[in-house]
Amino acid sequence: MTSALLAEIGDVGRDRTRGGYSRHVFDGAELELRTWFLAHARRLGLDTETDRNGNLWAWWGGQGPDAVVTGSHLDSVPGGGAFDGPLGVASALAAVRALRDRGAVPGRPLAVVVFAEEEGGRFGVPCLGSRLLTGAIGAEAARRLRDQDGRTFAEAAAGAGLDPDRIGADPGALGRIGRFVELHVEQGRGLVDLGSPVAVGSTVIAHGRWRFTFTGQGNHAGATLLRDRRDPMLPAAATVTAARELAAAAPDARATVGRIVPTPGGTNVIASTVRLWLDARVPDGSTHALVEEVAGAARVAAAAEGCTVDVREESASDTVTFDAGLRAELGGVLGGVPELATGAGHDAAILAPHVPAAMLYVRNPTGISHAPEEFAEPADVERGAAALADVLEHLCR
Ligand code: HGY
Ligand code: MN
Ligand code: MN
């Protein structure tokens, strides 16, 4: 069933320019996915609601305390894969269907949740829906977030039928969650190397995003001699390579610049400003030391070119270790599947400081994610959904 569910949305949000999928919170594709999810949830007899922050909830047995909650997200990165997010949502729907087919009667409330803007692909802050739910980001800061067209999150939320004034921490919704389990396609080759279709998550790497703005002097590409230039593209380029070199010198750290935006962006124009975003990740501890080193290199490079640089943190999360007891329970239910750390962020990690949270990963034979090559074999997809059904049945006793 899970593969059939994913096939239903296989053409939603296809990005004909960049390849893969581009599905961003409250845009046409993501709204279509929301409709798809709510229709299936209702067909399963679940009571659905959209919370104040745009997260979708589908309840079996009515809302209640100590609920077992599972789910993931439907939005994607630009040009992303078909499984990152939707696999967890489709597997949750399939798991509920399997429990219904078994005649299972949950002994406590059971809910499927779809978190908004997990990738931060439109408003720049990852896990925005779960951060709002838990209060990890303030309501006003969230309302003011702007997309690349200058539209605020408040405006986009209002356009999707939410009341922007109600955006913010939701202790009632958070208080109903007893335990949370997210199923997700693996975003690496761990399960391929382990020869297992499913794993239980152990930790999520510390990670964050920083915006670097280099300012120089816009000018003519031909009439301006090199000695007369203050070209912000030069320190920006130096920062991209410095980030890689500094991460390479730190144990198992990662640093990526996947987005760089010159203004005005003309081929025959020396940019006046260049913005770039650094994604930094460190397995143990904090990203701040690495980022500070990169910022230092940026400042030196900017000064050498007569430019300035401004560095702003857009989001940061420390390393998260999932609940040991819940991990052990999932491992017991699943007959001792391996445990895996991940370099990817997830809503489960945002919830983890507040409720016992855990993750299940499904094998990805390509080991590639955030790209069209992301994949999971249909047999593993069904194994993942069956594992989730067994876990939910156990936790709902
Ligand atoms: O960026 C991440 O690690 C996740 O895919 N949002
Ligand atoms: Mn992702
Ligand atoms: Mn994801």
Side-chain angles (χ1 to χ4, degrees), residues 220-284:
H220 193 294
T224 314
L225 297 178
L226 297 188
R227 65 171 177 270
D228 296 332
R229 294 183 180 207
R230 291 192 294 115
D231 181 351
M233 191 60 86
L234 273 293
T239 301
V240 172
T241 50
R244 165 61 77 89
E245 287 156 9
L246 290 164
D252 209 12
R254 299 128 219 220
T256 310
V257 175
R259 187 174 159 216
I260 187 163
V261 179
T263 298
T267 302
N268 56 351
V269 177
I270 300 169
S272 53
T273 63
V274 174
R275 291 178 301 157
L276 65 80
W277 282 262
L278 171 70
D279 178 310
R281 309 204 187 199
V282 172
D284 297 308

Side-chain angles (χ1 to χ4, degrees), residues 142-197:
R143 277 190 281 264
R144 284 201 305 265
L145 292 171
R146 290 186 182 274
D147 66 13
Q148 295 177 23
D149 299 326
R151 204 150 183 241
T152 65
F153 178 67
E155 290 162 347
L162 298 181
D163 175 356
D165 294 335
R166 296 195 62 241
I167 287 169
D170 194 339
L174 182 61
R176 282 191 284 272
I177 306 174
R179 285 172 290 185
F180 178 73
V181 179
E182 178 173 3
L183 182 144
H184 204 282
V185 65
E186 193 205 337
Q187 295 169 294
R189 289 184 46 84
L191 281 170
V192 174
D193 298 338
L194 289 167
S196 171

Side-chain angles (χ1 to χ4, degrees), residues 72-73 75 83-85 118-119 182 184-185 187 344-346 370:
S72 192
H73 60 96
D75 66 299
F83 297 86
D84 178 353
E118 190 276 344
E119 296 292 2
E182 178 173 3
H184 204 282
V185 65
Q187 295 169 294
H346 297 286
H370 285 188

Side-chain angles (χ1 to χ4, degrees), residues 155-376:
E155 290 162 347
L162 298 181
D163 175 356
D165 294 335
R166 296 195 62 241
I167 287 169
D170 194 339
L174 182 61
R176 282 191 284 272
I177 306 174
R179 285 172 290 185
F180 178 73
V181 179
E182 178 173 3
L183 182 144
H184 204 282
V185 65
E186 193 205 337
Q187 295 169 294
R189 289 184 46 84
L191 281 170
V192 174
D193 298 338
L194 289 167
S196 171
V198 173
V200 172
S202 55
T203 61
V204 169
I205 200 167
H207 61 289
R209 304 178 181 191
W210 286 262
R211 184 179 71 247
F212 287 61
T213 304
F214 298 89
T215 304
Q217 178 55 60
N219 216 322
H220 193 294
T224 314
L225 297 178
L226 297 188
R227 65 171 177 270
D228 296 332
R229 294 183 180 207
R230 291 192 294 115
D231 181 351
M233 191 60 86
L234 273 293
T239 301
V240 172
T241 50
R244 165 61 77 89
E245 287 156 9
L246 290 164
D252 209 12
R254 299 128 219 220
T256 310
V257 175
R259 187 174 159 216
I260 187 163
V261 179
T263 298
T267 302
N268 56 351
V269 177
I270 300 169
S272 53
T273 63
V274 174
R275 291 178 301 157
L276 65 80
W277 282 262
L278 171 70
D279 178 310
R281 309 204 187 199
V282 172
D284 297 308
S286 162
T287 49
H288 289 280
L290 172 60
V291 173
E292 207 22 64
E293 284 187 291
V294 176
R299 283 190 279 268
V300 167
E305 183 64 21
C307 295
T308 60
V309 62
D310 174 77
V311 182
R312 293 291 162 98
E313 177 179 294
E314 290 195 341
S315 68
S317 308
D318 288 336
T319 305
V320 164
T321 300
F322 289 119
D323 183 88
L326 191 51
R327 284 159 55 186
E329 268 194 85
L330 268 58
V333 169
L334 301 177
V337 296
E339 286 205 343
L340 268 187
T342 183
H346 297 286
D347 292 304
I350 300 298
L351 291 183
H354 305 275
V355 300
M359 291 194 73
L360 291 179
Y361 298 120
V362 173
R363 179 164 49 193
N364 169 351
T366 69
I368 294 172
S369 184
H370 285 188
E373 296 85 355
E374 182 183 88
F375 187 66

Side-chain angles (χ1 to χ4, degrees), residues 1 40-47 58-62 92-106 110 389 392-393:
M1 176 182 178
H40 274 290
R42 289 168 188 148
R43 210 169 297 153
L44 285 166
L46 305 181
D47 298 325
W59 289 90
W60 181 349
L93 291 169
V96 167
R97 169 71 180 276
L99 294 184
R100 285 226 189 269
D101 290 350
R102 295 175 193 175
V105 179
L110 170 59
L392 295 177
E393 187 170 21

